[in-house]
Amino acid sequence: MKNIIILLFITLLIGFSFCKQDMDTSQAAGKLVSFDPSKSDPEAIRVADDLMRACGGLEAWDNINVIKYNYFGRRWHLWDKKNQMIRIENTANDTKMILDLKAMKAKLYKDGKEWTDKDTLKKYCDMAYRQWINDSYWLMMPFKVKDGGVKLKYLREDTTQTGIMSDVIEMQFDSVGVTPQNKYELWVGKNSGLLAQWAYFPKASDTAAAFINPWDGYVKYGDAFISSDRGNNRQFSGIKVFNEVPPSVFKTFEKVDFEKM
């Protein structure tokens, strides 16, 4: 568990291929794939529906235009979901990246200057994309349990590590996303309907989880309930939603005070 972030980034790198079709499956550019209920069992679908409903429903997430958050103290995200723009700032140095998800083009500021050479921009465009995929999945996974290509299976009733009685479902992927070989087990609380814990498996054939984390600290943002606490000092902070932000924050590297905005 102590190498959780390293493990996840390794698996992201293994499965990563940089193309528009590999974007977030709920809003990818190009052809969209719909959830196929014939590839999941009915009881697992019921649990997934309960989970999304408890979190406010998919519409609640879709109605959030812009969201800001800090991923485990490592980096800030400002994600304009409506216009598919992302700004990521590393908290350990002065590296700033702006990514246009529609055009898959990036801007980069590092080492005190803006970079324009093609190879450097490609490298950091890939990095920004991977960080967005990884960090946003840790934040909003309950809203993605019925993405296109997802396969669900009901496993058992079980308690979480903190004793919450739950329905446990398995989540696999049918050749979609950047890491289709991954598998998750999700503990959905019987009383709350919320995701209470997850287990991550780098490969679907794995029998032992690489890590297990709680999902705690639910707060309502807009109409969506979002969890900020993954245990072991891994917390999202600074979460806030907006109807809109100045377009200039995605065009230039003017200073953005993420703490106060």
Side-chain angles (χ1 to χ4, degrees):
M1 290 179 64
K2 66 181 181 180
N3 293 321
I4 181 173
I5 305 301
I6 296 173
L7 272 169
L8 190 52
F9 267 79
I10 290 172
T11 56
L12 281 168
L13 287 167
I14 291 172
F16 179 77
S17 61
F18 189 75
C19 65
K20 291 181 180 179
Q21 286 72 26
D22 271 349
M23 289 173 59
D24 170 26
T25 54
S26 67
Q27 48 184 299
K31 184 179 179 181
L32 290 173
V33 180
S34 298
F35 178 75
D36 184 352
S38 70
K39 295 185 177 181
S40 300
D41 67 63
E43 185 66 4
I45 293 174
R46 178 194 65 77
V47 174
D49 286 338
D50 288 346
L51 169 58
M52 286 196 289
R53 191 178 304 113
C55 289
L58 186 58
E59 185 178 0
W61 173 255
D62 290 342
N63 286 340
I64 293 175
N65 291 335
V66 183
I67 186 167
K68 171 193 71 116
Y69 61 92
N70 186 290
Y71 173 78
F72 300 168
R74 295 168 179 260
R75 48 188 167 262
W76 283 102
H77 288 254
L78 183 63
W79 177 14
D80 186 335
K81 294 167 65 253
K82 182 178 179 180
N83 295 303
Q84 297 189 51
M85 299 292 298
I86 306 156
R87 179 169 174 147
I88 302 174
E89 296 196 10
N90 193 308
T91 56
N93 54 49
D94 200 27
T95 299
K96 306 173 185 178
M97 297 177 287
I98 296 172
L99 179 60
D100 181 341
L101 285 170
K102 298 187 296 294
M104 298 310 287
K105 292 182 179 179
K107 293 178 179 289
L108 169 68
Y109 180 93
K110 66 182 290 285
D111 300 330
K113 67 177 183 179
E114 185 169 354
W115 294 67
T116 57
D117 71 277
K118 185 176 179 180
D119 289 343
T120 301
L121 286 179
K122 174 62 169 61
K123 174 185 175 180
Y124 280 87
C125 187
D126 290 359
M127 179 186 295
Y129 179 74
R130 290 195 301 271
Q131 290 178 352
W132 169 65
I133 288 288
N134 178 74
D135 300 0
S136 63
Y137 204 75
W138 276 75
L139 181 70
M140 66 168 186
M141 198 256 212
F143 296 103
K144 300 184 64 57
V145 290
K146 291 182 71 177
D147 269 4
V150 169
K151 300 183 292 184
L152 302 171
K153 179 181 179 182
Y154 188 88
L155 297 180
R156 62 189 182 277
E157 290 186 350
D158 195 5
T159 56
T160 66
Q161 293 176 332
T162 57
I164 299 172
M165 181 55 67
S166 305
D167 289 304
V168 184
I169 60 175
E170 179 186 272
M171 188 178 183
Q172 293 193 36
F173 307 91
D174 190 8
S175 301
V176 295
V178 298
T179 51
Q181 74 278 10
N182 292 169
K183 178 176 72 174
Y184 292 87
E185 290 185 5
L186 313 179
W187 279 253
V188 179
K190 280 186 170 292
N191 291 331
S192 67
L194 296 170
L195 181 60
Q197 178 177 284
W198 74 353
Y200 167 73
F201 301 79
K203 295 185 294 184
S205 59
D206 290 343
T207 56
F211 57 77
I212 301 174
N213 290 104
W215 280 62
D216 293 324
Y218 281 90
V219 173
K220 192 173 185 180
Y221 299 93
D223 292 323
F225 283 95
I226 297 175
S227 162
S228 62
D229 188 351
R230 301 293 170 270
N232 298 314
N233 296 316
R234 297 185 178 97
Q235 284 81 36
F236 290 90
S237 61
I239 302 174
K240 190 173 181 179
V241 300
F242 309 87
N243 287 326
E244 61 181 12
V245 292
S248 60
V249 301
F250 299 110
K251 294 179 180 179
T252 70
F253 289 106
E254 64 180 30
K255 180 176 175 58
V256 174
D257 191 336
F258 283 92
E259 295 282 359
K260 294 182 179 179
M261 73 177 300

